Amino acid sequence: EMPERDRPNLQFHPGLTAVQIAAAKVGAPLMLDFCTISLSDKLTPWTTIESRLKSAAEGDFVVALYNPQSEGRRWQLKRAVEILEGYRSGSTPVVIARQLGREEEEIHFQKLENLNLREVDMLTLILIGNSTSYLQDGKMVTLRGYPNAESEKL
């Protein structure tokens, strides 16, 4: 019902999620198993979210965190990072991707041990590598297999 000039400027990316857009822009971080977890406990109990985080960390999944932090929810992301640090090296690469697909888009690489949580809000996707993920030439790469793993022959 608003006049066209007053309507929000929306862009749609049919069929693409923020994690897919981020992955395409930062290299090849999703070459192995990965999962997405929302940190919003508005509709999901925190105990369930924490259980999912522990399972993903134990399974060595690349983890994409949605809804990481808002003005009223500041402690959940810190707790999620603490859980992942229990299973990951401090040098694990992390992508902070904010406002993906918009003019204000920002993408930064960090390490898990010194993750700057002040940059994060509800418009941010956080992509945390697994034990084989690394940064090279400004790109995040996850190996497509585990070192010393035996491949099944077809």
Side-chain angles (χ1 to χ4, degrees):
E1 296 177 11
M2 297 172 76
E4 187 173 343
R5 71 179 185 286
D6 296 333
R7 293 179 192 164
N9 181 15
L10 301 175
Q11 291 183 1
F12 296 92
H13 301 277
L16 296 177
T17 65
V19 71
Q20 292 166 313
I21 294 169
K25 290 182 178 241
V26 302
L30 305 180
M31 296 302 294
L32 202 55
D33 297 329
F34 71 95
C35 66
T36 59
I37 300 173
S38 171
L39 295 186
S40 175
D41 58 354
K42 295 225 180 246
L43 300 175
T44 304
W46 180 255
T47 54
T48 301
I49 296 168
E50 192 162 309
S51 175
R52 291 173 181 169
L53 287 163
K54 287 178 183 174
S55 294
E58 289 174 355
D60 199 24
F61 283 71
V62 172
V63 178
L65 299 176
Y66 282 94
N67 304 316
Q69 188 162 264
S70 67
E71 289 298 319
R73 292 184 316 98
R74 306 297 294 177
W75 64 269
Q76 288 90 336
L77 177 56
K78 185 173 189 272
R79 177 66 184 131
V81 169
E82 288 171 357
I83 291 168
L84 292 166
E85 284 176 324
Y87 297 86
R88 304 268 160 82
S89 160
S91 62
T92 300
V94 176
V95 173
I96 305 292
R98 187 171 182 283
Q99 295 270 15
L100 286 165
R102 299 180 178 126
E103 275 187 40
E104 303 84 10
E105 176 178 284
E106 297 176 35
I107 298 175
H108 303 281
F109 294 99
Q110 297 183 16
K111 292 183 180 178
L112 189 59
E113 65 192 354
N114 56 9
L115 188 59
N116 182 356
L117 305 182
R118 290 183 302 263
E119 301 182 6
V120 177
D121 61 16
M122 288 296 281
L123 300 174
T124 306
L125 171 84
I126 301 172
L127 193 57
I128 302 167
N130 72 4
S131 64
T132 71
S133 300
Y134 60 94
L135 295 177
Q136 181 176 333
D137 300 326
K139 300 293 183 189
M140 181 174 167
V141 177
T142 299
L143 295 179
R144 193 174 169 210
Y146 287 96
N148 304 319
E150 290 186 35
S151 300
E152 285 187 36
K153 294 187 181 189
L154 302 176

